[in-house]
Amino acid sequence: MLQTALHFSHKLLQEVVHMGDSVVDATMGNGNDTAFLAQLVGSTGRVYAFDIQKQALVNTANKLQELSLSEQATLIQQGHETIDNHVSIDAKLTAAIFNLGYLPKSDKQIVTKPETTKQALDALLPRLAAKGRIILVVYYGHDGGERELTLVQDYCQNLPQEKFNVLSYQFINQKNNPPILFCIEKK
């Protein structure tokens, strides 16, 4: 059976993230990806997780504590456009993940923005290790979502093929704007 964007994103991350690695969850939300990454990097790795909403930080901190994964995660209550301020330019990240849109079961007016997503991608690419991956799961069925989807598509299509492979994964016969997954892999 074909995998959902969420399950496929985790498979793509699992293939490249190992114990001791450094990774980014650019949109921590309810902490599911942060916890998944924290398990993969283990106690010797580091997850940098970003979100502007206090509730996202609380939800993620609780999830990490329940799973005894708090030690390897740094939770940052700021937007992903501040990656430059929190992750050393010398860091070699093996992965990053974005879930673009809004925090489920929260204020649907607080959404990710194309401009800040571009800033985050610009900060991540030079930090990405060879064979590292950036996953973007784009939920675009909200006001401004189409603009962000267009930005991500254009950004990915314009990456030089000599340096990056880019995958797009989506269901094309489903209703209600199913998410589209993009995977940027550094060669």
Side-chain angles (χ1 to χ4, degrees), residues 49-67:
F50 295 82
D51 208 299
I52 61 170
Q53 296 182 75
K54 178 70 173 167
Q55 192 58 51
L57 227 70
V58 170
N59 294 348
T60 302
N62 289 340
K63 182 177 289 290
L64 292 172
Q65 189 168 2
E66 287 170 20
L67 299 169

Side-chain angles (χ1 to χ4, degrees), residues 39-95:
Q39 288 173 330
L40 293 177
V41 302
S43 60
T44 58
R46 177 64 40 202
V47 179
Y48 299 94
F50 295 82
D51 208 299
I52 61 170
Q53 296 182 75
K54 178 70 173 167
Q55 192 58 51
L57 227 70
V58 170
N59 294 348
T60 302
N62 289 340
K63 182 177 289 290
L64 292 172
Q65 189 168 2
E66 287 170 20
L67 299 169
S68 300
L69 297 169
S70 299
E71 291 301 312
Q72 57 258 49
T74 301
L75 306 184
I76 302 157
Q77 189 183 346
Q78 292 185 22
H80 50 237
E81 70 275 13
T82 66
I83 287 170
D84 266 336
N85 301 334
H86 299 281
V87 180
S88 168
I89 190 65
D90 299 323
K92 284 297 172 204
L93 301 172
T94 53

Side-chain angles (χ1 to χ4, degrees), residues 15-30:
E15 291 175 352
V16 297
V17 179
H18 302 92
M19 293 284 182
D21 285 351
S22 293
V23 297
V24 168
D25 182 353
T27 51
M28 80 174 86
N30 287 312

Side-chain angles (χ1 to χ4, degrees), residues 158-174:
N158 288 307
L159 289 171
Q161 69 178 17
E162 301 79 28
K163 295 181 181 179
F164 300 96
N165 290 316
V166 181
L167 166 80
S168 174
Y169 179 85
Q170 70 182 110
F171 290 95
I172 59 173
N173 69 334
Q174 293 183 358

Side-chain angles (χ1 to χ4, degrees), residues 4 20 24 31 40 63 66-67 73 84 108 111 118 137 139 141 173 177 184 186:
T4 65
V24 168
L40 293 177
K63 182 177 289 290
E66 287 170 20
L67 299 169
D84 266 336
K108 291 180 174 62
V111 297
K118 182 183 181 311
V137 181
Y139 295 86
N173 69 334
N177 306 309
I184 301 168
K186 189 171 187 177

